[in-house]
Amino acid sequence: MKDAQQTARTRNRRLHRTAGLLVALVTTGALCGGTAIAAPAEQSPSAAEAAGARVPQNPMAAVARMQPSWNLGNTLDAIPDETSWGNPLTTKATFDGLRAQGFRSVRIPVTWYPHQSDTAPYTVDPVWMNRVKQVVDLALADGLYVEINVHHDSWKWIANMSTDHDNVVARFNSTWQQIATVFKDEPRTLLMESINEPQFSDATDAQKTQYLRELNTSFHDIVRNSGGRNQDRLLVLPSEETNNAQHWLDDLSTTMSSLHDRNLVATVHYYSWYPFSVNIANGTTYDATAQKDLTEGFARVHDTFVAKGIPVYLGEYGLLTSPYSGVVERGEMLKYFEQVNYEARRNGMTSAVWDAANDFLNRGTMQWQVPEMKALIQSSWRTRSGTASTDNVFLPESGPIAAQTITLNRNGLWFAGLWQGDRPLIPYVDYTLDGDRLTLTADALTRLAGDRAAGLKATLEVRYSDGVPWKLFVRSYDKPVMSDATGTADGLTIPTRFNGALMANVQSTYADGTAAGPASWTTYQTFDNYRTDYGADTTTVKPDFLKSLKDGAPVTLTFRFWTGDTVTYHLTRSGNTVTGTAS
């Protein structure tokens, strides 16, 4: 992952993002493989052992049974402790709820260094080791497959391998010797992953290949020689940064071939095309470039591993921003999640959604935060859902209303009607369909607009022959208006009458046309630099953006809205004071 992406990932995880790939599995019968019965809390580990006995000897079949999967993110990987990043303590109810939602496996990221001596022999605090084992055993006893790893250690100390090689290797080996010993008798439903998103500072590509091969090989040797069930446990090996670039996949393939071990699993992560994933560089939509990044990346993984009988675990998928932060527009986000599920399933990968902190499942109740996301993800485990070119239909607050056309993305399904609640709209009266072009008539839109006051006026559903209906929000709007404001480098709040419009992104330039903001390579900074509050009618410009500006240099902000409107605004930072002026 590029430095900018890694920075975004680290920051957003601390702030409970997510990031960050929903994937369903292509292997035939993956969702039908062995059900396990949840064990009472007081039951011995025999329930987990029984589940482990059902693990197929064929590693492809075994990993297929893990679909679908979920990450216990920002928890045992949090720094310094389990609850430090805002999540509650993990209990049996966590895994009971997970099974109830249809998940078959859980990835449990673990960061070890805050609980480990910094010098040889790098002893892990037994209290921490016992807590990790307790959480793992709770999940195993619920009949779930489980994966554990060495997580944020990757960038905290393993990344220093080029300047501190011997100490890094010694610490890595000691860490895995301790983990392997403690978990050696766990059933084969427990998988071990060598390292999360491996990265190496101040290293060439050749050195990165050498370092990762050294660590993956050492991990493999340590676990295999530690006794117990570790002799044939499924071991998960990542590519550099868990990236799907072909040269990194080839390096991992070479390492796996050299180990002559059939019980190996390759792992990659996916957080979409970077401009779309964080809404930067005018990447507001899930466009052809973002779709190509997905399809070509997954095809490379398939051809390098799956086609050769090597299972692939998509250990994390999502976006580099929280799903409902507003950084990525709702409909564009849903289109991405729908296709990533399909492509993973089509390419034979088992996937684990990254859930940092209640992005998908509420940790208190283990219920989904947003019903439509639940429906989309759960439906994707067996089929596709249709989408459309937009999920918003904007109508002017005054003046005549014209017919509007959207393009349907059927995704192999057939159109089954347009509905408002429990009432079907009438073909040729309320809408017409010409191929994939769905046109809402002027009369229907006028009726739906009601009193024409700005805001949401109606919600329609495009229903397809299968999957989740696509919602269309009919909104009345007028051009937004922004007002003068004064603030500090810690934040500028701009009074904004949105008038029913929704903001898409912001372009920021200095007087000479160059980019203003933290990213020097684009005039469209990440949309996370701003916060829109439609209820309070305010737009906040955040500190990271303001503090990056040249002192005394006027900046022009062009706020762009999904209605097609733009609003020009000027601001200047003078020391710690920021002044904003509407055009």
Side-chain angles (χ1 to χ4, degrees):
M1 187 172 293
K2 297 290 189 272
D3 290 344
Q5 292 169 286
Q6 182 61 44
T7 300
R9 285 283 305 284
T10 302
R11 178 179 68 250
N12 288 329
R13 282 189 178 180
R14 292 176 188 271
L15 296 176
H16 317 306
R17 88 147 156 78
T18 139
L21 298 188
L22 178 46
V23 188
L25 172 62
V26 218
T27 306
T28 303
L31 296 181
C32 303
T35 38
I37 300 173
E42 70 275 12
Q43 187 168 343
S44 73
S46 60
E49 287 291 346
R54 293 197 297 273
V55 176
Q57 289 302 309
N58 184 318
M60 287 286 287
V63 175
R65 288 198 179 184
M66 295 171 61
Q67 176 68 13
S69 192
W70 178 82
N71 273 271
L72 186 70
N74 281 14
T75 305
L76 295 184
D77 58 312
I79 301 171
D81 296 305
E82 183 176 352
T83 60
S84 296
W85 290 356
N87 280 317
L89 289 172
T90 303
T91 66
K92 182 179 184 297
T94 305
F95 302 113
D96 290 345
L98 198 63
R99 280 303 301 258
Q101 300 299 330
F103 289 94
R104 298 281 179 85
S105 63
V106 58
R107 183 172 180 256
I108 302 179
V110 184
T111 300
W112 300 90
Y113 82 91
H115 314 278
Q116 181 183 43
S117 62
D118 292 328
T119 56
Y122 308 106
T123 303
V124 175
D125 180 356
V127 174
W128 179 249
M129 183 69 81
N130 289 339
R131 174 56 179 161
V132 174
K133 189 173 187 304
Q134 180 186 40
V135 172
V136 168
D137 285 343
L138 287 172
L140 292 172
D142 241 330
L144 295 164
Y145 282 72
V146 177
E147 189 208 71
I148 58 171
N149 67 1
V150 169
H151 203 76
H152 290 309
D153 306 83
S154 61
W155 56 271
K156 291 300 292 187
W157 55 271
I158 295 174
N160 300 326
M161 201 164 171
S162 64
T163 56
D164 196 21
H165 175 276
D166 292 351
N167 288 328
V168 168
V169 171
R171 185 171 188 169
F172 180 83
N173 290 347
S174 174
T175 302
W176 269 113
Q177 285 163 355
Q178 294 173 76
I179 299 169
T181 298
V182 169
F183 290 92
K184 68 180 182 180
D185 294 322
E186 298 283 11
R188 288 184 70 239
T189 41
L190 175 66
L191 289 75
M192 296 178 179
E193 175 190 12
S194 61
I195 179 176
N196 174 72
E197 297 184 354
Q199 53 199 275
F200 304 100
S201 304
D202 303 317
T204 64
D205 279 0
Q207 288 173 319
K208 292 175 181 179
T209 295
Q210 172 192 333
Y211 296 150
L212 182 55
R213 186 167 298 167
E214 183 176 2
L215 294 180
N216 275 337
T217 301
S218 185
F219 157 77
H220 173 267
D221 293 345
I222 287 168
V223 176
R224 284 288 179 253
N225 293 319
S226 60
R229 298 312 309 268
N230 287 342
Q231 64 182 345
D232 63 351
R233 186 179 307 285
L234 291 169
L235 301 183
V236 184
L237 303 182
S239 61
E240 170 70 19
E241 295 179 352
T242 55
N243 193 292
N244 66 36
Q246 189 61 58
H247 65 293
W248 295 133
L249 298 179
D250 289 342
D251 286 347
L252 177 57
S253 178
T254 298
T255 298
M256 296 178 82
S257 296
S258 71
L259 296 175
H260 305 289
D261 186 339
R262 71 188 299 267
N263 287 310
L264 297 180
V265 180
T267 187
V268 294
H269 295 172
Y270 191 71
Y271 284 95
S272 192
W273 174 243
Y274 180 63
F276 169 70
S277 193
V278 300
N279 192 352
I280 195 174
N282 206 24
T284 54
T285 63
Y286 185 56
D287 61 10
T289 301
Q291 294 173 44
K292 181 180 178 182
D293 185 77
L294 169 62
T295 57
E296 292 186 350
F298 280 22
R300 287 192 297 269
V301 174
H302 172 273
D303 293 348
T304 306
F305 298 110
V306 178
K308 300 171 184 176
I310 300 171
V312 173
Y313 183 53
L314 194 60
E316 295 181 18
Y317 77 82
L319 293 171
L320 292 171
T321 52
S322 294
Y324 286 89
S325 63
V327 173
V328 176
E329 195 271 336
R330 171 199 168 278
E332 301 304 312
M333 172 189 68
L334 292 177
K335 283 187 268 189
Y336 161 73
F337 275 101
E338 194 287 325
Q339 190 178 14
V340 80
N341 299 337
Y342 166 69
E343 291 297 334
R345 181 158 53 90
R346 188 168 75 93
N347 285 285
M349 295 183 282
T350 290
S351 62
V353 62
W354 177 262
D355 198 346
N358 299 335
D359 282 343
F360 297 96
L361 288 172
N362 181 307
R363 297 283 180 90
T365 65
M366 289 309 292
Q367 297 298 309
W368 289 79
Q369 295 282 55
V370 180
E372 63 187 343
M373 183 62 86
K374 171 187 177 179
L376 180 73
I377 290 179
Q378 291 186 328
S379 177
S380 75
W381 298 338
R382 64 171 185 84
T383 188
R384 296 207 71 174
S385 293
T387 65
S389 55
T390 184
D391 63 339
N392 289 307
V393 176
F394 289 101
L395 307 176
E397 192 175 24
S398 60
I401 292 177
Q404 291 201 32
T405 299
I406 66 169
T407 301
L408 302 182
N409 304 320
R410 298 174 187 258
N411 293 331
L413 306 173
W414 48 268
F415 175 78
L418 184 64
W419 293 65
Q420 183 182 13
D422 58 0
R423 184 179 70 86
L425 272 65
I426 304 172
Y428 304 107
V429 175
D430 296 323
Y431 68 90
T432 60
L433 185 65
D434 181 7
D436 289 332
R437 292 172 56 81
L438 176 68
T439 299
L440 295 167
T441 65
D443 286 346
L445 290 175
T446 299
R447 182 183 75 250
L448 293 169
D451 62 7
R452 306 286 293 274
L456 178 64
K457 311 309 296 182
T459 301
L460 307 180
E461 283 188 349
V462 179
R463 297 186 182 179
Y464 294 95
S465 55
D466 204 348
V468 179
W470 181 257
K471 289 185 179 180
L472 285 175
F473 301 100
V474 180
R475 302 177 186 274
S476 184
Y477 81 97
D478 199 359
K479 183 173 181 175
V481 178
M482 308 183 89
S483 302
D484 296 352
T486 301
T488 70
D490 291 321
L492 173 70
T493 298
I494 303 170
T496 307
R497 284 187 282 126
F498 291 101
N499 294 329
L502 302 176
M503 194 180 295
N505 65 3
V506 186
Q507 189 174 24
S508 54
T509 58
Y510 290 112
D512 62 1
T514 58
S520 62
W521 55 277
T522 176
T523 59
Y524 290 89
Q525 305 293 302
T526 174
F527 194 48
D528 194 37
N529 285 303
Y530 309 90
R531 182 176 65 252
T532 53
D533 188 331
Y534 296 105
D537 268 346
T538 60
T539 300
T540 299
V541 187
K542 295 183 181 180
D544 284 353
F545 177 84
L546 295 172
K547 292 178 180 179
S548 74
L549 300 180
K550 300 174 184 177
D551 193 67
V555 173
T556 298
L557 301 180
T558 303
F559 291 90
R560 301 183 183 276
F561 294 82
W562 289 104
T563 57
D565 293 302
T566 62
V567 175
T568 302
Y569 199 82
H570 305 281
L571 62 82
T572 303
R573 181 179 68 83
S574 299
N576 194 49
T577 300
V578 179
T579 302
T581 305
S583 294

